[in-house]
Amino acid sequence: MDRTHFLKTASLFTFGATCLSTASAHWLPPLDRLKSIGLGLFSVPKLLENDLEADVKALAELGITEFETYGPYPFSDARNKAFWAEVTPRLGFSVSGFYGKTAAGFKQLLGDHGIRVPAMHTDLYTLEGNMGALAEAANTLGAKYVVLTSIPDYERTSLDAYKRIAERFNTIGENAKAEGVYFAYHNHGYGLVPEASGTTPIDLIFEGTDPSLVFFE
């Protein structure tokens, strides 16, 4: 996505979401005008925990044709796996990745129901330390993007830290490109508010990254 368009879209989204919350149904585009309907699987984690095939079939019958997966995966960095093990008791579910299947097996299951995977969410340390295995899984699934879900809070404690993150993003993007995939960053609310100095942290990421290597979701 073009960076200027990204910023405009992000600013309009809040307004649009507010309008849609009170809009009548005829404001929404008919489903037959959409080329595809995607679902981030982290939105429905418990749904897929018990009967994966039946639940995938049910989602496909609703008209969903794309999934975005989330980690940790079998090849994910140990720090991410440890964090996941710590938080899942509070979340109330534990499934992730390919739900006990290989990447090829998961792709076959989804393909049987007409679903593809254009993007995979993952963590910073897997992107930095195990791009080979991550990209291999992405290429197996047919995923074009490997996406960082968030920057750990202790990695973004200052504006200088954001500058270092931008440099790291360029390296990740270069490594991803060499493996035949693209790296994207999925931002959250942090980084969007100007600091006391007037600098908005996410601007440092936009300004410090190569647009041919780092994309945004």
Side-chain angles (χ1 to χ4, degrees), residues 3 5 25 27 38 49 51 84 126 143 155 157-158 170 178-179 197:
R3 295 176 183 219
H5 179 67
W27 278 45
E49 198 163 34
D51 192 337
W84 185 253
T126 300
E155 295 276 14
T157 56
S158 67
N170 284 327
E179 297 285 352
S197 64

Side-chain angles (χ1 to χ4, degrees), residues 101-112 115 117 139-142:
K101 294 183 174 293
T102 63
F106 191 56
K107 179 183 179 180
Q108 181 176 344
L109 168 62
L110 301 187
D112 289 343
I115 296 173
V117 177
N139 286 321
T140 297
L141 289 171

Side-chain angles (χ1 to χ4, degrees), residues 26-67:
H26 71 269
W27 278 45
L28 302 176
L31 293 183
D32 60 5
R33 293 186 187 176
L34 298 176
K35 293 181 180 179
S36 60
I37 302 174
L39 176 69
L41 292 184
F42 196 75
S43 302
V44 290
K46 296 193 72 173
L47 175 66
L48 302 176
E49 198 163 34
N50 298 316
D51 192 337
L52 179 64
E53 185 163 3
D55 294 331
V56 167
K57 180 176 183 290
L59 291 171
E61 289 173 347
L62 290 175
I64 293 169
T65 57
E66 295 181 349
F67 282 170

Side-chain angles (χ1 to χ4, degrees), residues 76-84 123 125-126 128-129 154-155:
S76 290
D77 187 272
R79 285 164 287 186
N80 183 242
K81 290 181 177 179
F83 173 77
W84 185 253
D123 66 285
Y125 305 119
T126 300
E128 289 188 313
Y154 51 84
E155 295 276 14

Side-chain angles (χ1 to χ4, degrees), residues 175-189:
N175 292 337
K177 189 174 182 178
E179 297 285 352
V181 292
Y182 296 104
F183 165 60
Y185 170 51
H186 173 87
N187 75 290
H188 288 270

Side-chain angles (χ1 to χ4, degrees), residues 85-130:
E86 179 185 347
V87 301
T88 48
R90 301 195 297 272
L91 295 175
F93 64 91
S94 60
V95 293
S96 70
F98 309 128
Y99 303 89
K101 294 183 174 293
T102 63
F106 191 56
K107 179 183 179 180
Q108 181 176 344
L109 168 62
L110 301 187
D112 289 343
H113 299 285
I115 296 173
R116 68 186 191 94
V117 177
M120 297 173 60
H121 274 191
T122 186
D123 66 285
L124 178 62
Y125 305 119
T126 300
L127 286 161
E128 289 188 313
N130 208 0

